[in-house]
Amino acid sequence: MKYIIGNCIVLIIGLFYSCKDSEINSNVDATVDQVFPHKMPETKPQFLLSKATERMFNYATPRVQDNELFSQFKYTELEGFDYSGGDGTISRRDPSRPIFANGKYYIWYTKRHTKVPPIGWNRAEEATNEIPSTDWDLCDLWYATSEDGFKWVEQGVAVARPKKPNLGWRSIATPDILIWKGKYYLYFQAFNEPSGTRGDWCPISMAYSDSPEGPWIHVGKPVVPFGNKGEWDQDQTQDPHPIVYQDKIYLYYKAAYNKWPDKRDVYAVAHGLAIAEDPFGPFEKHPLNPVLNSGHETTYFPFKEGIAALAIKDGNEAQTMQYAEDGVNFEIAATVELTPTAAGCYTPDAFTGTDYARGVTWGVCHFINAATSSDKQHSIIARFDCDLSLDHNEPIFKSTGVWHRPEVYFEQGLGELKELRSNQTLK
Ligand code: AAL
């Protein structure tokens, strides 16, 4: 009897573990001893794979060249912008996404035209009404138009700094555009102190107009306020990036956290999502914020039924394209290189509320290190082209590598560390 009971227990335990096993490896036949084939399988093979090989089939396509969210980026200097010979007194940066209206493209951007170049945010206390601390201090929002996206004509100020003490009196910067029910809304950062004083403190504010030509009316208050004390976005809401998605306004924004005022060396950056049913708000912050754990400036566009994001500098997932089918839960879609900084993508369906978006082929971005020496600091805006579109297939954008001249690498030299390292080598 004891023998029979003992055998039954062994059998039950055996059955339990074999059920568990088949749950874990459902569809995988561990007994089939197969070698990964030479011809790329279209779907995940049903035999045991290494984690890395398995992951290959989690992407849209296992071959990166076939992945619609993989692209190289090609850059072109924009014609039509004067930078005062690069002396640092004129800067243009953080451009909006281009839109097409009245038969031409429009962009908005941060423009600084000051008597002297910025002195740097470590010296923010020395900034005056004429001396900017950072490149984005003492700025206004300007706009330009173009017929082909390469040659631009600067049209003038779109939104100027208001008088002190109104919100944004010190500087307004980093705009992006929303078209909602036939009207135009510019979201931007509004500073009431020289950037660098306590970090980069500013909330997102907004101005609205019936036409992309203006006139713009500044609401004069934060529309995406800071988080409460102790929350990740307690000190800033920056880089607004609005998209019409699921009949609402999905505004992605960035905040640097874990640092100011006294902990600069532990700096982290993430992106949040704030959703509104009206351009004036209220913007409700998503309970799962931050929704993107990497990337400096924000670059988002609707893609298929979801939202795609480009994470550039900062974070474990820097230099990746990401995708969230629900606009919230982003996952890495591709690793990319030579990515555009502060990119605004030309996205004709960003505001149509489409339920299947087509992606992008070009946009504008900035280079913050355009100066030939550090006392002439300024930024320039440029155009990039890519193939992150369902409707194009340009082989040059799908090549899997770009090569930089050795000088580019040698510019990233050791500096003062060189001596120390050479002494270490001797030992
Ligand atoms: C940018 C953005 C924000 C910062 C500064 C101006 O590239 O991240 O806008 O405040 O730099």
Side-chain angles (χ1 to χ4, degrees):
M1 188 61 179
K2 258 192 194 162
Y3 175 77
I4 296 173
I5 294 174
N7 271 354
C8 282
I9 292 173
V10 169
L11 194 71
I12 291 167
I13 294 175
L15 270 173
F16 175 75
Y17 277 107
S18 72
C19 284
K20 271 199 101 183
D21 247 21
S22 64
E23 254 170 55
I24 295 167
N25 298 315
S26 58
N27 303 325
V28 172
D29 188 349
T31 64
V32 180
D33 188 13
Q34 258 184 280
V35 174
F36 196 78
H38 178 261
K39 186 169 162 42
M40 176 65 89
E42 278 171 18
T43 53
K44 193 193 286 189
Q46 298 308 310
F47 50 87
L48 278 180
L49 302 169
S50 69
K51 289 272 178 225
T53 309
E54 196 170 305
R55 222 167 34 241
M56 232 161 54
F57 296 90
N58 297 345
Y59 294 100
T61 57
R63 258 172 39 95
V64 74
Q65 299 92 327
D66 307 322
N67 184 343
E68 300 283 10
L69 282 178
F70 169 77
S71 180
Q72 295 296 346
F73 298 91
K74 308 286 172 191
Y75 296 86
T76 312
E77 265 185 85
L78 296 182
E79 287 175 48
F81 293 111
D82 169 54
Y83 287 95
S84 184
D87 65 6
T89 59
I90 298 184
S91 188
R92 293 182 187 82
R93 54 181 294 144
D94 288 298
S96 71
R97 71 171 80 248
I99 61 159
F100 191 75
N102 309 323
K104 52 194 168 205
Y105 297 107
Y106 287 78
I107 53 170
W108 291 263
Y109 45 90
T110 307
K111 181 175 176 187
R112 177 177 59 75
H113 191 173
T114 46
K115 287 189 180 150
V116 291
I119 51 173
W121 73 4
N122 293 339
R123 292 173 59 196
E125 299 302 337
E126 296 163 49
T128 67
N129 287 346
E130 294 192 331
I131 303 176
S133 61
T134 60
D135 193 28
W136 57 97
D137 187 26
L138 296 177
C139 291
D140 303 291
L141 304 185
W142 284 61
Y143 77 112
T145 58
S146 170
E147 281 174 14
D148 61 6
F150 292 93
K151 292 190 202 80
W152 291 85
V153 180
E154 187 159 74
Q155 300 292 345
V157 178
V159 188
R161 274 168 282 163
K163 287 215 161 55
K164 199 173 176 179
N166 293 308
L167 180 66
W169 65 266
R170 178 71 200 185
S171 191
I172 53 177
T174 318
D176 211 347
I177 184 82
L178 166 74
I179 308 174
W180 177 261
K181 299 189 178 158
K183 296 201 188 299
Y184 297 81
Y185 302 85
L186 278 173
Y187 294 86
F188 50 85
Q189 302 176 190
F191 288 89
N192 274 358
E193 62 189 27
S195 176
T197 308
R198 286 179 295 168
D200 204 29
W201 279 41
C202 62
I204 292 168
S205 187
M206 187 266 276
Y208 57 96
S209 173
D210 287 343
S211 152
E213 308 276 337
W216 296 90
I217 303 169
H218 181 187
V219 296
K221 56 179 188 187
V223 291
V224 184
F226 293 169
N228 296 321
K229 205 85 198 135
E231 294 174 358
W232 72 287
D233 55 354
Q234 66 166 34
D235 293 338
Q236 53 179 230
T237 54
Q238 299 192 334
D239 276 300
H241 217 79
I243 291 172
V244 176
Y245 184 60
Q246 296 182 344
D247 302 327
K248 295 190 175 149
I249 302 159
Y250 271 49
L251 186 148
Y252 295 90
Y253 66 97
K254 159 206 142 194
Y257 65 107
N258 198 42
K259 61 163 187 169
W260 300 105
D262 51 354
K263 293 198 253 167
R264 297 182 191 206
D265 54 342
V266 291
Y267 162 96
V269 180
H271 297 187
L273 167 63
I275 302 174
E277 295 186 18
D278 187 283
F280 291 83
F283 279 89
E284 289 242 344
K285 293 187 182 170
H286 199 280
L288 295 183
N289 278 351
V291 294
L292 203 71
N293 65 32
S294 299
H296 199 86
E297 294 92 348
T298 51
T299 300
Y300 288 77
F301 56 90
F303 189 74
K304 295 187 174 174
E305 41 297 86
I307 301 285
L310 170 62
I312 54 156
K313 176 183 168 289
D314 290 329
N316 281 317
E317 298 176 5
Q319 308 300 331
T320 58
M321 285 299 312
Q322 306 228 358
Y323 181 64
E325 205 172 68
D326 59 358
V328 176
N329 289 290
F330 286 90
E331 285 187 291
I332 296 175
T335 300
V336 279
E337 59 187 310
L338 213 66
T339 48
T341 303
C345 299
Y346 175 59
T347 320
D349 48 13
F351 311 121
T352 60
T354 176
D355 50 17
Y356 203 80
R358 311 303 304 176
V360 304
T361 58
W362 71 280
V364 280
C365 61
H366 72 201
F367 291 101
I368 59 168
N369 53 354
T372 49
S373 60
S374 58
D375 58 346
K376 294 181 178 164
Q377 207 216 322
H378 68 282
S379 306
I380 59 169
I381 48 179
R383 171 176 165 132
F384 66 90
D385 283 77
C386 58
D387 180 1
L388 296 166
S389 159
L390 299 177
D391 301 326
H392 287 75
N393 190 15
E394 305 275 5
I396 62 159
F397 296 114
K398 297 292 179 185
S399 87
T400 52
V402 285
W403 296 98
H404 306 290
R405 306 259 328 141
E407 299 85 81
V408 175
Y409 292 85
F410 293 139
E411 257 179 41
Q412 304 297 318
L414 280 169
E416 287 168 7
L417 202 55
K418 189 175 165 202
E419 206 182 316
L420 186 75
R421 287 278 165 117
S422 29
N423 290 339
Q424 279 171 349
T425 319
L426 280 179
K427 281 174 207 154

